[in-house]
Amino acid sequence: MPSNLLDNISWNFIKESAQPSVRSYILSIEEKLKSLKPSTTSDSDRVATALRDLKEVKKHVNRLEEELEQQKNDHKDLKFRYEKLKSKAKASKEE
């Protein structure tokens, strides 16, 4: 396990880059579906349905990512306000 900050940063980067993101899986599936050449109408319909379903999955992923980003921002805001109150309390305690 890494011992210093630079090693930790490098290790985290390697771990994150080693795992494909949900978006990369979606793109991969989309490319594969679009490359198919269905021989029957029912197969064409299935591919079209799969592409529509994948489009819905993308929408849900976008919404989840937006919610996650909002929660991160809310957390940062709360942490900032907490630190501000903490420093005010410390300053008033020192007076």
Side-chain angles (χ1 to χ4, degrees):
M1 195 67 183
S3 59
N4 64 36
L5 180 60
L6 187 56
D7 285 343
N8 282 334
I9 292 170
S10 300
W11 181 250
N12 287 335
F13 177 77
I14 290 168
K15 283 194 318 190
E16 288 175 10
S17 64
Q19 296 179 347
S21 68
V22 172
R23 289 195 179 282
S24 64
Y25 283 120
I26 290 172
L27 285 173
S28 175
I29 293 168
E30 185 176 31
E31 288 173 7
K32 289 172 185 155
L33 287 170
K34 287 181 176 180
S35 72
L36 293 176
K37 304 287 186 235
S39 57
T40 65
T41 305
S42 64
D43 286 346
S44 293
D45 291 344
R46 285 188 192 111
V47 170
T49 301
L51 285 168
R52 281 194 305 273
D53 291 347
L54 196 58
K55 188 176 180 179
E56 288 301 313
V57 169
K58 281 184 190 179
K59 286 181 188 178
H60 287 283
V61 167
N62 286 339
R63 272 190 230 123
L64 288 172
E65 286 179 342
E66 287 171 7
E67 287 176 23
L68 182 61
E69 191 62 34
Q70 184 61 45
Q71 288 178 359
K72 283 181 183 178
N73 290 337
D74 291 347
H75 176 74
K76 285 179 187 176
D77 184 49
L78 286 172
K79 188 175 179 181
F80 173 76
R81 289 194 282 169
Y82 169 77
E83 293 298 328
K84 197 173 179 179
L85 287 172
K86 194 169 140 182
S87 64
K88 278 185 182 179
K90 185 178 178 182
S92 67
K93 191 176 184 181
E94 291 175 354
E95 290 177 359

